[in-house]
Amino acid sequence: MEGKMSWAVADALDYKGSPADRSKTGGWVPAALILGIEMCERLSTMGIAVNLVTYLVGTMHLPSSTSANVVTDFMGTSFLLCLLGGFLADSFLGRFKTVAIFAVVQTLGTAMLAISTKIPELRPPSCDPNTNEPCQKATDFQMGVLYLALYLIALGTGGLKSSVSGLGSDQFDEKDDKEKAQMTAFFSRFFFFISLGTLMAVTVLVWIQDEVGRSWAYGICSVSMGIAIIILLSGMKRYRYKKSMGSPIVHIFQVISAAAKKSKMQLPYDVNYLYEDSPEGHRVPHTEQFGCLDKAAIVGEGDFENVPGGSAPNPWKLCSVTKVEEVKMMARLLPVWATTIIFWTTYAQMITFSVEQAFTMERSLGSFQIPAGSLTVFFVAAILISLGVYDRVIVPLWKKFKGKPGFSSLQRIAIGLVLSTLGMAAAAWVEKKRLSVAIAVGRDELSLPISVYLLIPQFFLVGAGEAFIYTGQLDFFITQAPKSMKTMSTGLFLTTLSLGFFLSSFLVSVIKNVTTNSKSEGWLADDINYGRLDYFYWLLTVLSFINFVAFMICAIWFKPPTKKSNSIRVSNANGSYGGAEERC
């Protein structure tokens, strides 16, 4: 029996619901099937996002600022819906079903988008920009069909992305040294496949959109997702499945609810009088910070209810110290979380206004015309180069001189914020130069005599910034979060992307309204040749610098919990709890 059980993977089940056999489930084969569907997801989402603004301006005849907001709202919603996908995976469906269901939703969305770009009745009639006649904008019905397709894709992306990396890591046993090393390698390959999918999107897929047809490109996305789903389903018998443990979001609300109900109760002098039911080896040490939440662990009348075999605490009235401390750990992440949002606002400009800049510039490479959306290839190249330099050069040197295996997660985030700030400054300088050329030759010129390669520095700086900030954020939110809330912390990380895109939309709308008047179209004119996009970039540069200062303050303030004495300070003369509540 012992020999048989050694082949079973702890906490993992096979497709029949039995303990997973190590020799028959998990490992690289099923993990590779999962990598395939993530690559196809990136191919579809990024292939649509990086070139969507040119379709909205050129075909749907929307204003420049409106088109930029459509793209950022689409991307923001995609990442925000990761919270919904994570909640469904943790509470009801499990990771495999969540990935499979939402992959189908995304496939339907891309198919609908292909149809909407193919049927002439679903887009306004074409027009000649050289004539004085205004172009007819897309109707509400035409935009409604487009929005339905885009947000089906956003829903599919959010649900799939929330669980696909977790499903892949489930195929390896953390308690086995060999498989733990394979899991680390899996995450490296996971990021590589994300980058590979993005690279194919911004080169091959964007070229097909511009030169062959958007319906063909989006049809390829739909077909590739369909094939990936079939491949994913083919591995059902080989996957390892983890039981749903309940949503961490519910646990957080339980602690807050229990603490609120006992807000008038007095905390005990000794932490040992607070309720704790976690095993000794799984407990989180008590901390005084956010002391008002400790009241959720005060045992009061009516906190226990009868259950078969005895009694158990009502989780909405009484929470263990460990559960309270886990919520505190998540709360400590919030200042760093808030100060990383602005980076993704600068990132949003790379797939909106920067693409519009490229569309107006000289893009010839010999006899080949580079698609405007393909300029983001320098963005992807910067990510890959930065990661390679960091792993092969910086890490060995840092280990040699400092004795540490690379920069800490907070240091990497700081580097990313600095690079993105420099990227926005470079973007502002280039835009000023581009506008001077537009004024000299005429603002109505479709192609300005200025090289598109001047945009490379802004793409490269912000792309290198993403390489540092993405890996730093992911490392920070996973390592500093409690074990029971790893999925929640990943979702928290992804919301910074979402809110960054939404902040971009908000800023664009505000700047558009504030700077537009009867004599001027403002900074963000419908045609960027008539606006002052460089002012907008300078504004983002200033905001990024202020945000960096705020991040440094938060990084200095942040201190992970350490083991301390279990005693709580004696109450003061008022009987209050050592001032901890004031720090809540």
Side-chain angles (χ1 to χ4, degrees), residues 257-272:
S257 174
K261 290 174 182 177
K262 297 175 179 178
S263 59
K264 296 182 180 180
M265 294 183 69
Q266 192 69 35
L267 283 160
Y269 295 110
D270 193 324
V271 70
N272 292 314

Side-chain angles (χ1 to χ4, degrees), residues 380-397:
V380 180
I383 295 173
L384 297 176
I385 291 172
S386 298
L387 289 174
V389 171
Y390 179 76
D391 287 338
R392 301 296 180 181
V393 179
I394 297 177
V395 169
L397 290 175

Side-chain angles (χ1 to χ4, degrees), residues 22-153:
R22 190 182 304 275
S23 63
K24 297 180 181 179
T25 62
W28 275 116
V29 173
L33 304 181
I34 297 166
L35 289 173
I37 201 164
E38 173 58 19
M39 184 179 71
C40 291
E41 180 274 322
R42 283 292 84 191
L43 176 71
S44 297
T45 304
M46 294 306 297
I48 293 166
V50 297
N51 207 31
L52 181 59
V53 69
T54 60
Y55 178 75
L56 295 171
V57 173
T59 302
M60 305 303 277
H61 306 147
L62 298 185
S64 172
S65 58
T66 303
S67 300
N69 281 358
V70 169
V71 176
T72 51
D73 287 344
F74 162 65
M75 292 297 288
T77 303
S78 298
F79 289 109
L80 187 63
L81 287 171
C82 289
L83 291 176
L84 173 63
F87 173 77
L88 294 175
D90 289 337
S91 302
F92 304 105
L93 299 175
R95 287 170 177 161
F96 173 76
K97 290 182 180 178
T98 301
V99 170
I101 291 171
F102 284 96
V104 172
V105 173
Q106 182 166 358
T107 304
L108 294 175
T110 51
M112 187 174 181
L113 188 61
I115 294 171
S116 71
T117 55
K118 180 66 176 178
I119 301 176
E121 289 76 15
L122 294 180
R123 60 181 185 270
S126 58
C127 66
D128 186 356
N130 293 320
T131 63
N132 293 326
E133 295 183 6
C135 296
Q136 180 181 329
K137 294 181 181 179
T139 64
D140 290 341
F141 173 75
Q142 291 168 338
M143 289 304 300
V145 174
L146 180 65
Y147 283 140
L148 180 58
L150 288 177
Y151 285 97
L152 271 176
I153 296 169

Side-chain angles (χ1 to χ4, degrees), residues 299-567:
V299 180
E301 186 177 353
D303 286 349
F304 288 84
E305 51 190 21
N306 293 325
V307 295
S311 62
N314 183 331
W316 294 95
K317 294 181 179 180
L318 180 64
C319 303
S320 67
V321 171
T322 290
K323 184 177 287 189
V324 171
E325 290 300 323
E326 288 177 340
V327 175
K328 288 182 183 182
M329 290 173 70
M330 294 300 294
R332 291 187 188 98
L333 303 181
L334 294 180
V336 172
W337 169 84
T339 50
T340 54
I341 292 172
I342 193 70
F343 170 83
W344 300 105
T345 301
T346 62
Y347 172 97
Q349 312 319 310
M350 298 299 104
I351 60 174
T352 53
F353 288 120
S354 291
V355 175
E356 289 191 51
Q357 285 177 290
F359 191 75
T360 67
M361 301 170 77
E362 174 59 43
R363 293 177 278 119
S364 297
L365 182 63
S367 59
F368 178 71
Q369 182 83 347
I370 303 172
S374 290
L375 262 292
T376 50
V377 71
F378 294 106
F379 191 87
V380 180
I383 295 173
L384 297 176
I385 291 172
S386 298
L387 289 174
V389 171
Y390 179 76
D391 287 338
R392 301 296 180 181
V393 179
I394 297 177
V395 169
L397 290 175
W398 200 251
K399 188 173 183 180
K400 180 179 180 180
F401 292 106
K402 294 290 185 179
K404 297 178 181 178
F407 299 132
S408 69
S409 57
L410 291 176
Q411 287 172 332
R412 277 177 280 166
I413 292 173
I415 293 171
L417 293 177
V418 170
L419 290 172
S420 67
T421 304
L422 295 175
M424 281 295 96
W429 180 82
V430 171
E431 175 59 12
K432 183 178 180 180
K433 187 173 181 64
R434 191 196 68 84
L435 279 176
S436 66
V437 173
I439 294 171
V441 303
R443 296 178 190 266
D444 293 326
E445 285 291 325
L446 295 180
S447 180
L448 302 175
I450 180 172
S451 175
V452 76
Y453 297 115
L454 287 175
L455 298 177
I456 291 178
Q458 65 199 60
F459 281 108
F460 203 89
L461 285 168
V462 178
E466 186 193 354
F468 282 100
I469 203 169
Y470 191 101
T471 55
Q473 277 185 291
L474 193 59
D475 184 14
F476 177 78
F477 284 107
I478 287 179
T479 58
Q480 300 302 326
K483 290 183 179 180
S484 63
M485 297 187 181
K486 296 297 184 185
T487 302
M488 170 71 180
S489 64
T490 303
L492 192 66
F493 154 56
L494 292 174
T495 57
T496 63
L497 282 73
S498 172
L499 294 177
F501 284 111
F502 286 135
L503 178 58
S504 177
S505 297
F506 173 76
L507 287 174
V508 167
S509 298
V510 170
I511 296 300
K512 178 72 174 176
N513 292 331
V514 170
T515 61
T516 302
N517 54 51
S518 58
K519 297 181 180 179
S520 171
E521 293 187 56
W523 293 3
L524 304 175
D526 293 347
D527 183 339
I528 61 172
N529 287 348
Y530 286 87
R532 291 309 304 258
L533 183 59
D534 55 329
Y535 289 173
F536 181 62
Y537 282 157
W538 280 123
L539 174 63
L540 286 175
T541 302
V542 173
L543 291 176
S544 296
F545 177 76
I546 295 172
N547 178 79
F548 172 73
V549 175
F551 168 80
M552 293 302 295
I553 295 172
C554 294
I556 293 171
W557 171 84
F558 176 80
K559 293 181 180 178
T562 54
K563 292 186 178 182
K564 294 183 178 181
S565 170
N566 282 340
S567 61

